[in-house]
Amino acid sequence: MLLSRCFPDRHSRTLAPVPRCRWPLTSVPLLLLGCGGPFPQSTLHPRSDFARAADTVFTDIFWWAVLVFVVVETALVFALVRFRHREGRGAPRPTHGHTLLEIAWTLAPAVILVFVAVPTVRTIFATAGEAPPDALKVQVTGHQWWWEYKYLDLGITTANEMHLPVGKPVQIAITSADVIHSFWVPRLGGKRDAIPGHVNYIAFRADAAGNYSGQCAEFCGASHANMGLRVLVDSDGGFAAWVKAQQGLAVAPPKGSPAEQGKAIYSRSACLGCHTIQGVSPGIIGPNLTHVGSRSTIAGGLFPNDSAHLASWIADAPALKPGAIMTRMKPPLTDADIAALVAYLASLK
Ligand code: CUA
């Protein structure tokens, strides 16, 4: 539509008058948008050794490109001015068969490519996913449309929010349960495809504690854009406390509480078939919910983990996330049932 406005073809001119192209005006605020902040998913603010290595390659190549731009544009402007048309002056003499010039402009791009290739190839090898043997290992599995994390050495399974210790080497093994996804946390490192039947690795060491958001970076179906994730880099003490809490059994709700009622509803619902709650249900199709109340988001980082969003999510997940395989329950749950389920899930800290 916009394109046809800006580049009307011959036929459209014979119809109604074509509106003037407004790109130059509308694009100014759009361009300026790129100057503001914050950018939680910007590779230009690296916070790990991996992300810094990639950023350094980018910066190096950017300055080589600036140099080439300046040289080429200077030559161009010089030629435009020096050989511009003047009254009474004939066409300039063409340069032809100048061996030295031809060797020079063949060699120059080759040399520039070497300057680009050497740091690029070096960084590709340096970020190939090798980690020291004591690195924390996390197995990541992409699903339509959420992420599963298994800390095999620690006996922890969780979803969508990955906790890591600051300053420690980490190795992440990435695969997929269905279609090809891509695990990408721009400020920490990436991206790596999650391919069914194949494992890819990323290794890095996060510099600073914080909450880093990420995104599936490979089109994987209706809710590809809704397949977010979080990496929470904790202080040593914070990470140890998280591990201890996650290794614990699911909290048993107090007698007579709404959460206990919710547990009873959960235990006779279809939820069992898909979700694990340690000691309650063994499903493995959806996210493990043993400690779901300790997460800050639900649905692949899409919504805050609060009562209102949990209730809407349980009532009708595909309405919030197109294509979600957690369909509406049949028969539908009553509002009271949903409220009790929400109380139960929120209690699973
Ligand atoms: Cu998963 Cu896109």
Side-chain angles (χ1 to χ4, degrees), residues 95-250:
T95 307
H96 182 72
H98 194 302
T99 312
L100 193 66
L101 200 57
E102 284 178 7
I103 289 175
W105 70 42
T106 306
L107 271 185
V111 171
I112 292 166
L113 286 181
V114 168
F115 278 97
V116 171
V118 169
T120 304
V121 172
R122 197 189 295 151
T123 306
I124 287 172
F125 281 98
T127 57
E130 298 280 335
D134 64 332
L136 172 71
K137 293 186 176 57
V138 188
Q139 212 179 66
V140 173
T141 307
H143 295 258
Q144 286 175 315
W145 289 274
W146 59 284
W147 299 95
E148 180 175 37
Y149 307 131
K150 286 190 174 150
Y151 299 67
L152 293 180
D153 299 337
L154 301 173
I156 294 172
T157 301
T158 184
N160 298 322
E161 291 183 6
M162 178 189 288
H163 283 252
L164 299 174
V166 69
K168 297 273 159 61
V170 173
Q171 189 184 48
I172 297 176
I174 301 157
T175 188
S176 167
D178 37 49
V179 299
I180 299 178
H181 305 272
S182 185
F183 182 81
W184 190 33
V185 189
R187 300 185 68 191
L188 294 179
K191 58 187 77 146
R192 285 284 191 278
D193 278 1
I195 300 169
H198 177 84
V199 180
N200 277 331
Y201 294 91
I202 297 182
F204 60 84
R205 197 187 287 257
D207 298 336
N211 181 341
Y212 301 94
S213 35
Q215 172 68 43
C216 176
E218 183 77 50
F219 180 71
C220 56
S223 270
H224 156 67
N226 298 326
M227 190 171 168
L229 65 116
R230 302 287 164 104
V231 175
L232 294 117
V233 176
D234 301 324
S235 65
D236 274 354
F239 182 71
W242 178 81
V243 167
K244 193 154 175 265
Q246 298 290 309
Q247 287 172 332
L249 295 173

